[in-house]
């Protein structure tokens, strides 16, 4: 833990183990903090806010820029830690460190662009001036699937805005959080400005975050169930809230699209991080005229994906996060098959060659998905491509929108009119048009409906950490 500028190491009576999900081995021990630790961290952040919020944006920017440089210098070490702790292949881990660092660079720049405005008044003797000020102490809760970038996406804009932060990372990935903090601390973030509370049991820490009056903002990334609960409690105390929650992305391939190109894109985005991404496609709607070709190419590519430890060369499929995740994926696949889906590849837990020590599920392709199947509604968060066909654009759009989630959607078409109709008609916050990577520190990330509140990254990202203050001056 890191509170008020001091590291606290794991002790015999307060610690928990961190595991490698590829083989179940223990790779570290961290301090097991709780409500008391959270309170101490909030006190430190509240005290530090007085000075951090008053130094110039240029000074904050310079520190964030140094943190960005340090993260790039330490990319390999961070990536290795991530692969061991979270499981994704090393190449993907390096890309995530880069993506994570990008937020520090972006918000180092945005720190200097917190503009206000003047508004004309109907009264000749009156002037309106609008300014933005940092909101105060920010409590942040982050998930395990992107254990570096989900931290910088919150801490970057919070620090840029002049806020101070208490972070609780996911209990599965505290080691990545520690390494991110080391970059920030070595870059010169003063004591008390960032605080890290690790803990095995998130509930008491979360309780302190939503109830402590010194916390002015809660930012959460994780499951919709926990997000709704915390947002509700925080709202009861009038705290500002942003939430990035679950997703159920539709992936639409129209008759004019190239089925080979679309299938390649589908494979790349679906199996990224073993499907453990909130923007992962959950249902693939493919026009009936090209569905066979799409499934063939997808199946061929998927059958070549090698599962194993992300530290080994050539591994594309890392482990799932834990046993419960494997069971959830297996339940969805079994349910789909029992209800008539066709299995093209995968469909089972992987245990050969030592994989039984980890949480591996075979990359899977299913077709013939119908509305009564669990996979049609539930977020999968695993390596399963679920394909269904359509022959009518309007019906496809209706089915794509038939979900309580609204984070990401993907469209493959070469018809500009169709692309625009889908862009406008899909009820999702992020739409990839012939593009499987519609994410960047420069682009607003976030969802509609049950996928959350607010946006991260981009110009919008820093506004989440700012209050608006209006001055009416009589002259
Ligand atoms: P996932 O299914 O991705 O693990 P969670 O929502 O359970 O999603 O976890 C995301 C983050 O929320 C993690 O940091 C986790 O520790 C935290 N979390 C889970 N339950 C609570 C809770 N009751 N209060 C505060 N944080 C929580």
């Amino acid at each position: 833990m890191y509170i008020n500028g001091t590291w606290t190491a794991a002790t015999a009576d307060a610690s928990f183990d961190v595991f490698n999900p590829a083989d179940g081995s223990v790779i570290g021990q961290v301090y097991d903090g709780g409500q008391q630790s959270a309170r101490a961290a909030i006190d430190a952040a509240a005290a530090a806010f007085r000075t951090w919020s008053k130094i110039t944006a240029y000074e904050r920017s310079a520190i964030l820029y140094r943190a960005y440089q340090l993260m790039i210098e330490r990319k390999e070490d961070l990536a290795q830690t991530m692969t061991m702790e979270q499981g994704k292949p090393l190449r993907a881990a390096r890309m995530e460190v880069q993506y994570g660092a990008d937020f520090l660079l972006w918000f180092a720049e945005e720190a200097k662009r917190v503009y206000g405005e003047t508004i004309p008044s109907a009264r000749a003797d009156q002037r309106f001036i609008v300014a933005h000020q940092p909101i105060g102490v920010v409590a942040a809760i982050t998930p395990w699937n992107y254990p570096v970038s989900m931290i910088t996406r919150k801490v970057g804009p919070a620090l840029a805005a002049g806020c101070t932060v208490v972070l609780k990372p996911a209990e599965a990935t505290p080691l990545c959080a520690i390494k991110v903090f080391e970059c920030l601390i070595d870059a010169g973030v003063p004591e008390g400005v960032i605080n890290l509370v690790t803990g095995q049991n998130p509930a008491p820490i979360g309780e302190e975050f939503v109830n402590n009056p010194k916390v002015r903002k809660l930012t959460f990334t994780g499951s919709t169930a926990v997000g709704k609960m915390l947002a509700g409690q925080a709202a009861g105390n009038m705290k500002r809230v942003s939430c990035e929650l679950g997703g159920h992305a539709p992936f639409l391939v129209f008759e004019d699209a190239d089925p080979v190109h679309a299938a390649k894109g589908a494979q790349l985005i679906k199996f990224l991080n073993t499907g453990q991404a909130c923007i992962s496609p959950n249902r693939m709607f493919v026009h009936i005229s090209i569905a066979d070709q799409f499934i063939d190419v997808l199946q061929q590519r998927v059958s070549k994906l090698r599962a194993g430890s992300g530290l080994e060369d050539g591994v594309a499929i890392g482990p799932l996060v834990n046993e419960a995740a494997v069971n959830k994926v297996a339940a969805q696949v079994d349910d789909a098959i029992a209800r008539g889906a066709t299995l093209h590849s995968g469909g089972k837990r992987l245990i050969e060659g030592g994989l039984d020590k980890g949480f591996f599920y075979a990359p899977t392709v299913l077709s013939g998905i119908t509305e009564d199947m669990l996979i049609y509604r539930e977020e999968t968060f695993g390596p399963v491509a679920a394909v269904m066909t359509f022959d009518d654009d309007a019906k496809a759009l209706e089915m794509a929108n038939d979900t309580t989630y609204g984070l990401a959607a993907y469209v493959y078409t070469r018809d500009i009119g169709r692309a625009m109709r889908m862009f406008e008609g899909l009820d999702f916050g992020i739409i990839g048009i012939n593009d499987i990577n519609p994410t960047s520190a420069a682009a607003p990330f976030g969802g509609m409906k049950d996928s959350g509140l607010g946006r991260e990254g981009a110009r919008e990202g820093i506004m989440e950490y700012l209050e608006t203050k209006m001055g009416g001056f009589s002259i």
Side-chain angles (χ1 to χ4, degrees):
M1 279 197 320
Y2 183 75
I3 296 178
N4 207 17
T6 304
W7 285 104
T8 310
T11 60
D13 53 349
S15 68
F16 66 101
D17 292 337
V18 185
F19 297 94
N20 180 340
D23 60 15
S25 60
V26 175
I27 55 167
Q29 272 190 332
V30 295
Y31 190 87
D32 191 9
Q35 194 149 6
Q36 286 299 109
S37 311
R39 194 169 299 160
I42 292 165
D43 285 342
F49 180 71
R50 292 188 208 113
T51 43
W52 181 251
S53 58
K54 294 291 185 300
I55 67 169
T56 67
Y58 280 77
E59 288 170 87
R60 293 195 298 265
S61 171
I63 292 173
L64 281 171
Y65 186 68
R66 273 201 297 279
Y68 159 76
Q69 289 175 310
L70 287 176
M71 198 175 266
I72 297 296
E73 276 170 28
R74 299 175 189 179
K75 186 190 274 186
E76 194 56 32
D77 179 52
L78 271 153
Q80 295 263 352
T81 302
M82 195 191 305
T83 295
M84 290 205 299
E85 187 178 45
Q86 191 271 336
K88 73 184 61 173
L90 204 46
R91 233 182 105 239
R94 291 187 190 112
M95 280 161 61
E96 190 196 328
V97 177
Q98 179 67 52
Y99 181 56
D102 286 348
F103 285 101
L104 298 178
L105 176 60
W106 176 263
F107 286 109
E109 293 158 345
E110 287 300 284
K112 296 177 278 186
R113 294 171 185 47
V114 178
Y115 303 133
E117 63 182 341
T118 61
I119 300 172
S121 165
R123 268 171 44 204
D125 70 337
Q126 190 182 43
R127 304 288 180 270
F128 290 129
I129 294 180
V130 177
H132 298 290
Q133 296 187 338
I135 193 163
V137 174
V138 172
I141 298 178
T142 51
W144 47 266
N145 61 339
Y146 286 87
V148 165
S149 55
M150 296 304 100
I151 295 176
T152 54
R153 195 147 89 170
K154 298 181 187 310
V155 175
L159 295 186
C163 295
T164 55
V165 180
V166 180
L167 170 74
K168 192 210 81 63
E171 48 276 30
T173 54
L175 303 179
C176 280
I178 289 169
K179 298 231 158 179
V180 172
F181 262 59
E182 285 169 353
C183 292
L184 291 160
I185 294 160
D186 293 348
V189 175
E191 63 185 40
V193 172
I194 50 168
N195 302 274
L196 176 67
V197 178
T198 50
Q200 194 167 18
N201 179 8
I205 301 171
E207 222 166 273
E208 188 64 26
F209 282 3
V210 295
N211 289 314
N212 191 312
K214 290 180 182 166
V215 172
R216 293 312 319 145
K217 155 105 193 181
L218 174 74
T219 171
F220 174 85
T221 298
S223 63
T224 294
V226 175
K228 279 185 173 175
M229 182 195 77
L230 293 174
Q233 293 169 351
N237 292 318
M238 278 304 147
K239 297 185 196 305
R240 285 264 294 274
V241 175
S242 28
C243 284
E244 203 264 279
L245 309 175
H248 205 271
F251 188 101
L252 294 136
V253 186
F254 289 92
E255 59 193 303
D256 61 85
D258 172 359
V260 175
H261 182 58
K264 282 183 188 167
Q267 180 258 301
L268 288 169
I269 182 71
K270 175 66 243 186
F271 296 93
L272 188 72
N273 210 13
T274 314
Q276 301 172 114
C278 45
I279 59 166
S280 192
N282 225 101
R283 295 169 299 159
M284 298 185 180
F285 301 93
V286 184
H287 193 271
I288 196 154
S289 63
I290 55 169
D292 286 349
Q293 213 185 339
F294 177 91
I295 292 167
D296 270 359
V297 175
L298 180 61
Q299 193 268 329
Q300 278 166 31
R301 291 181 66 96
V302 167
S303 61
K304 292 193 191 116
L305 298 175
R306 193 156 77 77
S309 159
L311 295 173
E312 286 169 26
D313 276 347
V315 162
I317 297 287
L320 291 168
V321 64
N322 54 30
E323 188 77 30
V326 176
N327 293 339
K328 182 177 175 199
V329 171
Q332 285 191 10
V333 172
D334 295 348
D335 165 80
I337 293 170
R339 292 175 193 271
T342 305
L343 178 69
H344 298 270
S345 52
K348 59 179 191 317
R349 185 170 185 159
L350 293 173
I351 49 173
E352 303 83 22
L355 296 188
D356 56 328
K357 296 198 203 77
F359 308 112
F360 291 92
Y361 195 88
T364 298
V365 178
L366 294 169
S367 67
I369 300 302
T370 50
E371 292 170 39
D372 58 333
M373 298 175 183
L374 290 175
I375 204 162
Y376 185 89
R377 302 238 167 256
E378 280 183 5
E379 190 176 33
T380 303
F381 239 60
V384 185
V387 181
M388 52 202 303
T389 56
F390 72 90
D391 59 6
D392 174 70
D393 281 23
K395 179 74 184 151
L397 177 62
E398 191 187 316
M399 290 178 87
N401 282 333
D402 179 23
T403 166
T404 55
Y405 293 107
L407 188 57
Y410 304 86
V411 175
Y412 274 72
T413 176
R414 286 185 279 203
D415 176 336
I416 184 78
R418 185 176 257 151
M420 186 55 77
R421 282 193 297 281
M422 290 300 141
F423 177 70
E424 291 180 354
L426 285 161
D427 300 330
F428 296 82
I430 301 163
I431 318 278
I433 306 281
N434 299 314
D435 185 18
I436 50 159
N437 190 19
T439 54
S440 154
F445 188 105
M448 304 176 178
K449 294 154 72 179
D450 275 359
S451 288
L453 294 169
R455 293 294 180 269
E456 294 192 305
R459 242 183 353 211
E460 285 91 332
I462 198 165
M463 292 310 295
E464 303 279 343
Y465 299 91
L466 293 165
E467 277 289 9
T468 296
K469 184 178 278 182
M470 206 290 294
F473 293 74
S474 198
I475 59 170

